[in-house]
Amino acid sequence: MSTLTTLARAEAVVAGVAQRITTVRHLHLADRPLVFIPLSMAGEANAPLAAMVGTDPGNPRLLVVPQPRNRDQRFGFAAELAEVLLPYLASCRGVTEVVSANRGKEVRYRYVDAPQVLVPNSAGVGFVRLFGRSTRFRRTDGDYPVHHSVPLLGQWLTFLADRAEHPGSSMLLSMTEALGMHWATGQSGLEDAQLAALLGWIDPPDGMTGAQAAAAAEDPVNWPPAGPATDPTFDNEILGGAIKGYEEAAGDVSRQARARDVLEEALRAQIEPTWRLMWRAIALLRQLPAGARVEGRWAEDRDAFSNFVLYVDGGGYPQPRRDGAVNAAQRLHRMERALQSYAVQRAYDDPLVMADHRLTGEAFVGEVTLAQPNRIDDSGKRRVLRPRIQVTTADPVLVTPGAAMFCPARPGQKARVVFVTPDGSSGQTDVVLELSGGLGRSLSPAPGSVPEVGDRLCYTTLSDSYMPPGEFPGRDETPWTHGGPPTAYEDAAEPTVQEAGEEWS
């Protein structure tokens, strides 16, 4: 937790309402997201109990498994879920756009839209991952066949769960994490994992403080858990009896239908409050303007979606249970690069996020007090344009001469620290920067390419420049201990009795 977030939490306690910790929204919100609220049976590993799913807040679809321990009913639930999810995915495959690749030498196509699935919390993301793993390997023939849509559903659920791990992706989002990224409440992070309490702090009802609204959300009768785990009292007093009634009605069609209706109504009462909270949270997030670089990250999601569509349409196999050594290293490397880029982009988009880096000395904001726009450096083999500016700041400056710095407002331009001169009497610091890049092709700077005296700018050591991917060996070059080919076997002669005795003597 950053210093400013800690301060915002303290202010939330005093003010009685959550405090904004960003000025913009750092995630993409689709025009038609799919809300998915799963419930699982307590004591059973990822046994689906019910789910509410849909894209229309006024017309959700409730899926119910009357007996979660029954294998056929579990995969019947998967087939019903596929009836909702797969058409939604297909609806994103309408229009494509041309994208240049390989520095303009090639072109590729990607969809202009991509799916977005919203779940209440991180446990919901875990349910998607585990349910995808339990369905993508199922056979549609032979012993215990499943509906042909079930393995395909599993592949797509696994794909969405993998994207959820990718920093900056918006294809599968936990609503509590999305809200917590933009607001700081007066309660702990563990308490923020409850959607009703979190929204109570962010948008409390009239006449109530955030703390009062969060306390009211602790009542499991009015605000049941957002899943996948259910309330133990509900399990013991209502759910257990409803499932038992359904089992006892086996063989009597009309009686079993009535028992199923009772079960459905009980589960609907558990999920509907969360359904309303999800759409309320979506409305709150829509009120925030999107960051400048959010669209670029959504384009990466659309790239991933387009590539996976081609993979699935081409008959691609289900994702493996675990990656090989090389694939795991490549995946880790991609995620590390994405995490670093995501952190920089958030800081570039949002002054409040950048403020944390200003506190640590990784950035400063100041006013340009001197400028030499036409300065020429002739110390090398040829003369080059190297303007210098002096920025005066009251922020702590920990950079040293020679350090490279970047200005979010001037992408493509690099600044090198020449001098850092603190002024003890005023508490300010003068930083002289030498500029390169983005100045034009001549020995005279292009109009507007050099900051003018009086401009207020931010400079930081954080860079959003291109990072080349790492190099990894092929599988044939990987040691056998890490999934590569076995070592060559040399057929050595059997030792004689004398040699063996000497070896052990």
Side-chain angles (χ1 to χ4, degrees), residues 41 44 47-48 65-78 243 246-247 256:
M41 186 174 184
E44 296 290 331
V65 183
Q67 176 45 271
R69 295 186 181 90
N70 184 295
R71 178 190 177 280
D72 293 336
Q73 291 187 22
R74 288 204 305 270
F75 291 109
F77 167 89
I243 293 178
Y246 178 84
E247 293 176 334
Q256 195 167 56

PDB file of all heavy atoms in Angstrom, residues 41 44 47-48 65-78 243 246-247 256:
ATOM      1  N   MET A  41     -20.946 -25.283  -4.241  1.00  0.00           N
ATOM      2  CA  MET A  41     -21.402 -25.986  -3.049  1.00  0.00           C
ATOM      3  C   MET A  41     -20.272 -26.086  -2.029  1.00  0.00           C
ATOM      4  O   MET A  41     -19.135 -26.430  -2.371  1.00  0.00           O
ATOM      5  CB  MET A  41     -21.892 -27.375  -3.423  1.00  0.00           C
ATOM      6  CG  MET A  41     -22.531 -28.128  -2.270  1.00  0.00           C
ATOM      7  SD  MET A  41     -23.246 -29.692  -2.793  1.00  0.00           S
ATOM      8  CE  MET A  41     -24.002 -30.225  -1.247  1.00  0.00           C
ATOM      9  N   GLU A  44     -17.296 -29.071  -1.574  1.00  0.00           N
ATOM     10  CA  GLU A  44     -17.053 -29.772  -2.826  1.00  0.00           C
ATOM     11  C   GLU A  44     -16.150 -28.906  -3.698  1.00  0.00           C
ATOM     12  O   GLU A  44     -16.411 -27.722  -3.888  1.00  0.00           O
ATOM     13  CB  GLU A  44     -18.373 -30.057  -3.563  1.00  0.00           C
ATOM     14  CG  GLU A  44     -19.308 -30.984  -2.825  1.00  0.00           C
ATOM     15  CD  GLU A  44     -18.792 -32.408  -2.790  1.00  0.00           C
ATOM     16  OE1 GLU A  44     -18.076 -32.800  -3.722  1.00  0.00           O
ATOM     17  OE2 GLU A  44     -19.097 -33.119  -1.822  1.00  0.00           O
ATOM     18  N   ALA A  47     -17.667 -27.509  -7.271  1.00  0.00           N
ATOM     19  CA  ALA A  47     -18.943 -28.087  -7.706  1.00  0.00           C
ATOM     20  C   ALA A  47     -19.941 -26.956  -7.880  1.00  0.00           C
ATOM     21  O   ALA A  47     -20.348 -26.336  -6.896  1.00  0.00           O
ATOM     22  CB  ALA A  47     -19.448 -29.095  -6.679  1.00  0.00           C
ATOM     23  N   PRO A  48     -20.352 -26.627  -9.113  1.00  0.00           N
ATOM     24  CA  PRO A  48     -21.264 -25.498  -9.322  1.00  0.00           C
ATOM     25  C   PRO A  48     -22.624 -25.758  -8.693  1.00  0.00           C
ATOM     26  O   PRO A  48     -23.177 -26.856  -8.791  1.00  0.00           O
ATOM     27  CB  PRO A  48     -21.359 -25.395 -10.842  1.00  0.00           C
ATOM     28  CG  PRO A  48     -21.040 -26.762 -11.347  1.00  0.00           C
ATOM     29  CD  PRO A  48     -20.041 -27.323 -10.375  1.00  0.00           C
ATOM     30  N   VAL A  65     -28.025 -26.056 -10.384  1.00  0.00           N
ATOM     31  CA  VAL A  65     -27.694 -27.481 -10.321  1.00  0.00           C
ATOM     32  C   VAL A  65     -28.401 -28.044  -9.092  1.00  0.00           C
ATOM     33  O   VAL A  65     -27.943 -27.830  -7.956  1.00  0.00           O
ATOM     34  CB  VAL A  65     -26.177 -27.705 -10.217  1.00  0.00           C
ATOM     35  CG1 VAL A  65     -25.856 -29.201 -10.230  1.00  0.00           C
ATOM     36  CG2 VAL A  65     -25.453 -26.997 -11.353  1.00  0.00           C
ATOM     37  N   PRO A  66     -29.514 -28.768  -9.260  1.00  0.00           N
ATOM     38  CA  PRO A  66     -30.261 -29.248  -8.081  1.00  0.00           C
ATOM     39  C   PRO A  66     -29.444 -30.142  -7.158  1.00  0.00           C
ATOM     40  O   PRO A  66     -29.605 -30.098  -5.946  1.00  0.00           O
ATOM     41  CB  PRO A  66     -31.445 -29.996  -8.696  1.00  0.00           C
ATOM     42  CG  PRO A  66     -31.604 -29.416 -10.068  1.00  0.00           C
ATOM     43  CD  PRO A  66     -30.218 -29.082 -10.519  1.00  0.00           C
ATOM     44  N   GLN A  67     -28.569 -30.966  -7.741  1.00  0.00           N
ATOM     45  CA  GLN A  67     -27.711 -31.824  -6.928  1.00  0.00           C
ATOM     46  C   GLN A  67     -26.272 -31.682  -7.439  1.00  0.00           C
ATOM     47  O   GLN A  67     -25.863 -32.348  -8.389  1.00  0.00           O
ATOM     48  CB  GLN A  67     -28.161 -33.276  -7.004  1.00  0.00           C
ATOM     49  CG  GLN A  67     -27.275 -34.270  -6.254  1.00  0.00           C
ATOM     50  CD  GLN A  67     -26.862 -33.803  -4.863  1.00  0.00           C
ATOM     51  OE1 GLN A  67     -25.845 -33.146  -4.683  1.00  0.00           O
ATOM     52  NE2 GLN A  67     -27.685 -34.135  -3.874  1.00  0.00           N
ATOM     53  N   PRO A  68     -25.476 -30.796  -6.824  1.00  0.00           N
ATOM     54  CA  PRO A  68     -24.123 -30.535  -7.335  1.00  0.00           C
ATOM     55  C   PRO A  68     -23.210 -31.750  -7.325  1.00  0.00           C
ATOM     56  O   PRO A  68     -22.205 -31.757  -8.047  1.00  0.00           O
ATOM     57  CB  PRO A  68     -23.597 -29.448  -6.384  1.00  0.00           C
ATOM     58  CG  PRO A  68     -24.831 -28.798  -5.831  1.00  0.00           C
ATOM     59  CD  PRO A  68     -25.839 -29.897  -5.720  1.00  0.00           C
ATOM     60  N   ARG A  69     -23.518 -32.768  -6.508  1.00  0.00           N
ATOM     61  CA  ARG A  69     -22.662 -33.957  -6.482  1.00  0.00           C
ATOM     62  C   ARG A  69     -22.923 -34.875  -7.668  1.00  0.00           C
ATOM     63  O   ARG A  69     -22.174 -35.822  -7.891  1.00  0.00           O
ATOM     64  CB  ARG A  69     -22.881 -34.732  -5.181  1.00  0.00           C
ATOM     65  CG  ARG A  69     -22.450 -33.969  -3.929  1.00  0.00           C
ATOM     66  CD  ARG A  69     -22.555 -34.834  -2.696  1.00  0.00           C
ATOM     67  NE  ARG A  69     -22.160 -34.117  -1.490  1.00  0.00           N
ATOM     68  CZ  ARG A  69     -22.996 -33.423  -0.728  1.00  0.00           C
ATOM     69  NH1 ARG A  69     -24.292 -33.377  -1.065  1.00  0.00           N
ATOM     70  NH2 ARG A  69     -22.570 -32.807   0.341  1.00  0.00           N
ATOM     71  N   ASN A  70     -23.977 -34.594  -8.421  1.00  0.00           N
ATOM     72  CA  ASN A  70     -24.333 -35.413  -9.572  1.00  0.00           C
ATOM     73  C   ASN A  70     -23.527 -34.946 -10.784  1.00  0.00           C
ATOM     74  O   ASN A  70     -23.660 -33.811 -11.233  1.00  0.00           O
ATOM     75  CB  ASN A  70     -25.839 -35.296  -9.849  1.00  0.00           C
ATOM     76  CG  ASN A  70     -26.289 -36.215 -10.972  1.00  0.00           C
ATOM     77  OD1 ASN A  70     -25.887 -36.044 -12.109  1.00  0.00           O
ATOM     78  ND2 ASN A  70     -27.137 -37.180 -10.627  1.00  0.00           N
ATOM     79  N   ARG A  71     -22.713 -35.841 -11.327  1.00  0.00           N
ATOM     80  CA  ARG A  71     -21.821 -35.472 -12.430  1.00  0.00           C
ATOM     81  C   ARG A  71     -22.591 -35.006 -13.653  1.00  0.00           C
ATOM     82  O   ARG A  71     -22.232 -34.016 -14.295  1.00  0.00           O
ATOM     83  CB  ARG A  71     -20.941 -36.675 -12.783  1.00  0.00           C
ATOM     84  CG  ARG A  71     -20.009 -36.415 -13.953  1.00  0.00           C
ATOM     85  CD  ARG A  71     -19.345 -37.683 -14.433  1.00  0.00           C
ATOM     86  NE  ARG A  71     -18.507 -37.430 -15.587  1.00  0.00           N
ATOM     87  CZ  ARG A  71     -18.958 -37.304 -16.817  1.00  0.00           C
ATOM     88  NH1 ARG A  71     -20.255 -37.406 -17.054  1.00  0.00           N
ATOM     89  NH2 ARG A  71     -18.132 -37.066 -17.822  1.00  0.00           N
ATOM     90  N   ASP A  72     -23.644 -35.717 -14.014  1.00  0.00           N
ATOM     91  CA  ASP A  72     -24.411 -35.338 -15.206  1.00  0.00           C
ATOM     92  C   ASP A  72     -25.037 -33.953 -15.055  1.00  0.00           C
ATOM     93  O   ASP A  72     -25.077 -33.177 -16.012  1.00  0.00           O
ATOM     94  CB  ASP A  72     -25.508 -36.378 -15.470  1.00  0.00           C
ATOM     95  CG  ASP A  72     -24.933 -37.723 -15.873  1.00  0.00           C
ATOM     96  OD1 ASP A  72     -23.791 -37.748 -16.384  1.00  0.00           O
ATOM     97  OD2 ASP A  72     -25.615 -38.745 -15.677  1.00  0.00           O
ATOM     98  N   GLN A  73     -25.511 -33.637 -13.858  1.00  0.00           N
ATOM     99  CA  GLN A  73     -26.105 -32.317 -13.654  1.00  0.00           C
ATOM    100  C   GLN A  73     -25.044 -31.219 -13.698  1.00  0.00           C
ATOM    101  O   GLN A  73     -25.312 -30.116 -14.191  1.00  0.00           O
ATOM    102  CB  GLN A  73     -26.857 -32.284 -12.326  1.00  0.00           C
ATOM    103  CG  GLN A  73     -28.116 -33.149 -12.301  1.00  0.00           C
ATOM    104  CD  GLN A  73     -28.915 -32.962 -11.034  1.00  0.00           C
ATOM    105  OE1 GLN A  73     -28.800 -31.942 -10.350  1.00  0.00           O
ATOM    106  NE2 GLN A  73     -29.728 -33.960 -10.703  1.00  0.00           N
ATOM    107  N   ARG A  74     -23.840 -31.507 -13.204  1.00  0.00           N
ATOM    108  CA  ARG A  74     -22.775 -30.500 -13.258  1.00  0.00           C
ATOM    109  C   ARG A  74     -22.431 -30.154 -14.698  1.00  0.00           C
ATOM    110  O   ARG A  74     -22.287 -28.980 -15.051  1.00  0.00           O
ATOM    111  CB  ARG A  74     -21.519 -31.008 -12.534  1.00  0.00           C
ATOM    112  CG  ARG A  74     -21.635 -31.060 -11.028  1.00  0.00           C
ATOM    113  CD  ARG A  74     -20.263 -30.998 -10.380  1.00  0.00           C
ATOM    114  NE  ARG A  74     -19.355 -32.027 -10.854  1.00  0.00           N
ATOM    115  CZ  ARG A  74     -19.224 -33.227 -10.313  1.00  0.00           C
ATOM    116  NH1 ARG A  74     -19.967 -33.555  -9.266  1.00  0.00           N
ATOM    117  NH2 ARG A  74     -18.371 -34.100 -10.799  1.00  0.00           N
ATOM    118  N   PHE A  75     -22.296 -31.175 -15.543  1.00  0.00           N
ATOM    119  CA  PHE A  75     -21.950 -30.886 -16.930  1.00  0.00           C
ATOM    120  C   PHE A  75     -23.160 -30.429 -17.740  1.00  0.00           C
ATOM    121  O   PHE A  75     -22.998 -29.810 -18.793  1.00  0.00           O
ATOM    122  CB  PHE A  75     -21.269 -32.097 -17.560  1.00  0.00           C
ATOM    123  CG  PHE A  75     -19.900 -32.338 -16.989  1.00  0.00           C
ATOM    124  CD1 PHE A  75     -19.656 -33.417 -16.174  1.00  0.00           C
ATOM    125  CD2 PHE A  75     -18.864 -31.441 -17.230  1.00  0.00           C
ATOM    126  CE1 PHE A  75     -18.404 -33.627 -15.623  1.00  0.00           C
ATOM    127  CE2 PHE A  75     -17.614 -31.632 -16.684  1.00  0.00           C
ATOM    128  CZ  PHE A  75     -17.374 -32.729 -15.882  1.00  0.00           C
ATOM    129  N   GLY A  76     -24.354 -30.713 -17.252  1.00  0.00           N
ATOM    130  CA  GLY A  76     -25.539 -30.078 -17.830  1.00  0.00           C
ATOM    131  C   GLY A  76     -25.516 -28.579 -17.565  1.00  0.00           C
ATOM    132  O   GLY A  76     -25.899 -27.772 -18.428  1.00  0.00           O
ATOM    133  N   PHE A  77     -25.081 -28.197 -16.360  1.00  0.00           N
ATOM    134  CA  PHE A  77     -24.901 -26.786 -16.032  1.00  0.00           C
ATOM    135  C   PHE A  77     -23.881 -26.155 -16.974  1.00  0.00           C
ATOM    136  O   PHE A  77     -24.068 -25.024 -17.455  1.00  0.00           O
ATOM    137  CB  PHE A  77     -24.440 -26.665 -14.576  1.00  0.00           C
ATOM    138  CG  PHE A  77     -23.922 -25.309 -14.185  1.00  0.00           C
ATOM    139  CD1 PHE A  77     -24.791 -24.334 -13.707  1.00  0.00           C
ATOM    140  CD2 PHE A  77     -22.567 -24.999 -14.279  1.00  0.00           C
ATOM    141  CE1 PHE A  77     -24.313 -23.076 -13.335  1.00  0.00           C
ATOM    142  CE2 PHE A  77     -22.086 -23.756 -13.902  1.00  0.00           C
ATOM    143  CZ  PHE A  77     -22.970 -22.796 -13.440  1.00  0.00           C
ATOM    144  N   ALA A  78     -22.783 -26.874 -17.260  1.00  0.00           N
ATOM    145  CA  ALA A  78     -21.766 -26.347 -18.171  1.00  0.00           C
ATOM    146  C   ALA A  78     -22.346 -26.123 -19.563  1.00  0.00           C
ATOM    147  O   ALA A  78     -22.046 -25.119 -20.219  1.00  0.00           O
ATOM    148  CB  ALA A  78     -20.577 -27.308 -18.232  1.00  0.00           C
ATOM    149  N   ILE A 243     -32.328 -29.193  -1.275  1.00  0.00           N
ATOM    150  CA  ILE A 243     -31.699 -30.268  -2.052  1.00  0.00           C
ATOM    151  C   ILE A 243     -32.253 -31.631  -1.632  1.00  0.00           C
ATOM    152  O   ILE A 243     -32.526 -32.502  -2.479  1.00  0.00           O
ATOM    153  CB  ILE A 243     -30.172 -30.220  -1.877  1.00  0.00           C
ATOM    154  CG1 ILE A 243     -29.601 -28.953  -2.524  1.00  0.00           C
ATOM    155  CG2 ILE A 243     -29.513 -31.462  -2.465  1.00  0.00           C
ATOM    156  CD1 ILE A 243     -28.105 -28.787  -2.356  1.00  0.00           C
ATOM    157  N   TYR A 246     -35.589 -32.192  -3.188  1.00  0.00           N
ATOM    158  CA  TYR A 246     -35.482 -32.538  -4.608  1.00  0.00           C
ATOM    159  C   TYR A 246     -35.100 -34.004  -4.766  1.00  0.00           C
ATOM    160  O   TYR A 246     -35.641 -34.719  -5.624  1.00  0.00           O
ATOM    161  CB  TYR A 246     -34.441 -31.633  -5.274  1.00  0.00           C
ATOM    162  CG  TYR A 246     -34.222 -31.937  -6.740  1.00  0.00           C
ATOM    163  CD1 TYR A 246     -35.059 -31.403  -7.704  1.00  0.00           C
ATOM    164  CD2 TYR A 246     -33.178 -32.765  -7.148  1.00  0.00           C
ATOM    165  CE1 TYR A 246     -34.858 -31.679  -9.053  1.00  0.00           C
ATOM    166  CE2 TYR A 246     -32.959 -33.058  -8.485  1.00  0.00           C
ATOM    167  CZ  TYR A 246     -33.808 -32.507  -9.435  1.00  0.00           C
ATOM    168  OH  TYR A 246     -33.617 -32.790 -10.762  1.00  0.00           O
ATOM    169  N   GLU A 247     -34.173 -34.480  -3.934  1.00  0.00           N
ATOM    170  CA  GLU A 247     -33.755 -35.882  -4.029  1.00  0.00           C
ATOM    171  C   GLU A 247     -34.891 -36.825  -3.649  1.00  0.00           C
ATOM    172  O   GLU A 247     -35.094 -37.873  -4.293  1.00  0.00           O
ATOM    173  CB  GLU A 247     -32.544 -36.119  -3.127  1.00  0.00           C
ATOM    174  CG  GLU A 247     -31.280 -35.394  -3.585  1.00  0.00           C
ATOM    175  CD  GLU A 247     -30.139 -35.581  -2.610  1.00  0.00           C
ATOM    176  OE1 GLU A 247     -30.424 -35.819  -1.415  1.00  0.00           O
ATOM    177  OE2 GLU A 247     -28.969 -35.495  -3.035  1.00  0.00           O
ATOM    178  N   GLN A 256     -41.060 -33.308  -8.181  1.00  0.00           N
ATOM    179  CA  GLN A 256     -39.676 -32.878  -8.347  1.00  0.00           C
ATOM    180  C   GLN A 256     -39.598 -31.500  -9.010  1.00  0.00           C
ATOM    181  O   GLN A 256     -38.728 -30.698  -8.681  1.00  0.00           O
ATOM    182  CB  GLN A 256     -38.899 -33.897  -9.186  1.00  0.00           C
ATOM    183  CG  GLN A 256     -37.393 -33.723  -9.095  1.00  0.00           C
ATOM    184  CD  GLN A 256     -36.641 -34.894  -9.659  1.00  0.00           C
ATOM    185  OE1 GLN A 256     -36.847 -35.266 -10.822  1.00  0.00           O
ATOM    186  NE2 GLN A 256     -35.764 -35.500  -8.860  1.00  0.00           N
TER     187      GLN A 256
END
